[in-house]
Structure formats: C-alpha cells, structure tokens
Amino acid sequence: MFAALDPEQLGKGFVAWVGPIAKLTAGEVVAIDGNALCGSASRARRPLCTWFPPGQADDILAVKDNQGSLLDGIKDPFQMLAADAVEEEIDCGHGRVESRRCSVIADLSLVEKAAEWPSLQGMVRIQAERHHKATGKTETETRFYITSLKPDAARLNRAIRQHWGIENKLHWMLDVGFGEDLSRKRAGHSAQNFSLLNRIALNILKHDKSSKRGIKGKRLNAAWDHPYLLKLLGV
C-alpha cells in the first residue's frame, strides 16, 4: 500500500492536517528537508519538500552539484562582480573555531533564465572554514544559494546557519531514533512515504512532555503501552 501511495498527495494531506495548528512568527526559519535516504534506491532520493506551501514566506534555496547549469550561473558572478553585502561570523566551541563568510550579489544579469524565478532577489555564497584544535586540521567548504530576500548578508548568514542546525539535528534524530539510514524499503514510493511518516511520528514524540525519555525510548514505550500510544495520537 505504501509503495503505491502518491507521495505528493500524502504530503499535501499532511500539510492540510497540520496547517490549522501550525503557528509561525515573523522571521522564523523553517528547514525544508530534501535529504536522500541512504539505504534506499534512487527513487527515494527525490526531495520530500515539493509539496510544501510557501505562503507568504521568503525562500533561501541551496544550489547543488546536480543543478549544474544553475550552479555555474551563480558561481560566475562571484568571480566577476563585487558583492553588494558581506558579513563574517566566527564561533568558538566544541574544540573548534569556525568562520562563515556570507557574500550576496543582487545583480542577476549574468544568471541564465533569471526571469523564470520571479521572486529572485539575489545570489548567496557561504565560505565556511573549520579549524579543529585537537588535530590542527582545517576544513573548508563553499556553498551557494538563491534567495527571495534582499541583500542583507547578516540576516542571510544567520538564517542559513539556523537552517543547517535544524536540518542536521533532524537527520541525527531520524537515524538514531528511527534507524532511517538502515532502511531497505525500495518498492515504489515506500521509502519516501515511510520517511514522511517517520517525520510525523518524530514531531508527535517531540511534543510529548509527559515522559522524559528520549525519542527511541518513547517509541518503545508507545509500542508496548497502548494507553500511552492512544494518548500520543489524541484518541
């Protein structure tokens, strides 16, 4: 059944369900997950966020290697044009020093088919450098984004950093609490649909304050204690 379900329709149903109870304040960052499922076939690597309703929100979208022409069209302006805004943050902690330099360009003249993105306001480059004190090793990474926000480098740097924190924590919890990376569901849409159900279950368990156990412990408790399970489901 789960292999045959249309994941887009399942996602829309989920949004319709949580819409009346979801509350967002102005400026809140929502991380939309497009993570690949490591143990599943390539069919499950499609983003899980295509059905997410934008509403009145602004977007910051990562541009990755599999979007070659768009990525090249964003890299080139940073080689040829001066940035409209630049902001650098430095953090120390957990045995490392990390710097993130955010550069923003609002001139879209060098971006091919920029008109196809009517809300596009700028291109963003994040240059991250992490120095590990214990090993002396330094890692560097450069990421590119497009955004509907105006070229405010400090705001964009902060939002992207917050997004990574939310997304990394989410993936860790799904792996540890649900064993998602070990999943071998391959038939049809089963991997994508089960991944969405895992996220629904994770959010229900996170909002339960009656138990101090971790996510994995709450799952086990729900499997053995039917009254607790019904309480979680609001039945």
Side-chain angles (χ1 to χ4, degrees):
M1 181 187 75
F2 282 103
L5 280 175
D6 182 340
E8 184 172 351
Q9 294 303 317
L10 181 62
K12 287 179 178 178
F14 170 62
V15 170
W17 173 50
V18 301
I21 61 173
K23 295 181 180 180
L24 294 177
T25 59
E28 186 168 349
V29 175
V30 179
I32 307 303
D33 179 33
N35 188 45
L37 304 179
C38 298
S40 302
S42 59
R43 181 187 295 270
R45 293 180 176 271
R46 288 174 297 182
L48 302 173
C49 59
T50 53
W51 42 263
F52 188 84
Q56 300 301 312
D58 283 298
D59 303 313
I60 306 173
L61 304 177
V63 181
K64 300 184 178 180
D65 291 338
N66 60 356
Q67 300 161 305
S69 58
L70 178 59
L71 181 59
D72 290 339
I74 294 174
K75 284 182 177 180
D76 290 344
F78 284 98
Q79 302 296 325
M80 303 169 65
L81 302 174
D84 293 287
V86 178
E87 173 72 14
E88 186 169 8
E89 292 183 346
I90 299 177
D91 286 332
C92 300
H94 305 289
R96 68 184 184 186
V97 178
E98 181 174 3
S99 67
R100 288 174 303 277
R101 183 179 178 86
C102 176
S103 305
V104 191
I105 292 179
D107 185 347
L108 306 176
S109 61
L110 298 180
V111 179
E112 185 178 356
K113 299 180 180 180
E116 295 182 2
W117 302 77
S119 63
L120 185 60
Q121 294 276 354
M123 301 164 288
V124 184
R125 180 181 65 188
I126 300 290
Q127 296 168 298
E129 180 177 291
R130 300 179 191 89
H131 177 73
H132 298 269
K133 298 177 181 178
T135 63
K137 182 180 179 181
T138 298
E139 301 170 344
T140 60
E141 181 183 15
T142 301
R143 302 188 297 269
F144 293 90
Y145 301 81
I146 55 176
T147 182
S148 62
L149 290 167
K150 293 182 179 180
D152 183 338
R155 182 183 182 188
L156 287 162
N157 207 0
R158 184 170 59 251
I160 291 171
R161 178 189 175 193
Q162 188 175 347
H163 169 273
W164 273 85
I166 295 170
E167 190 173 63
N168 289 339
K169 185 176 181 181
L170 170 67
H171 294 163
W172 182 86
M173 294 178 75
L174 288 169
D175 185 27
V176 173
F178 289 80
E180 190 165 85
D181 280 352
L182 299 177
S183 173
R184 293 296 182 267
K185 299 177 182 69
R186 298 177 182 272
H189 302 295
S190 57
Q192 194 169 359
N193 287 328
F194 264 98
S195 185
L196 175 58
L197 292 178
N198 284 344
R199 283 154 175 75
I200 295 173
L202 174 61
N203 277 283
I204 291 174
L205 294 172
K206 283 174 63 179
H207 284 86
D208 172 47
K209 305 302 182 184
S210 66
S211 172
K212 295 183 179 180
R213 303 183 71 179
I215 296 299
K216 194 171 183 178
K218 288 180 180 180
R219 282 193 69 203
L220 182 62
N221 194 22
W224 289 97
D225 185 342
H226 285 181
Y228 177 65
L229 173 62
L230 294 176
K231 173 181 173 295
L232 289 175
L233 298 175
V235 176

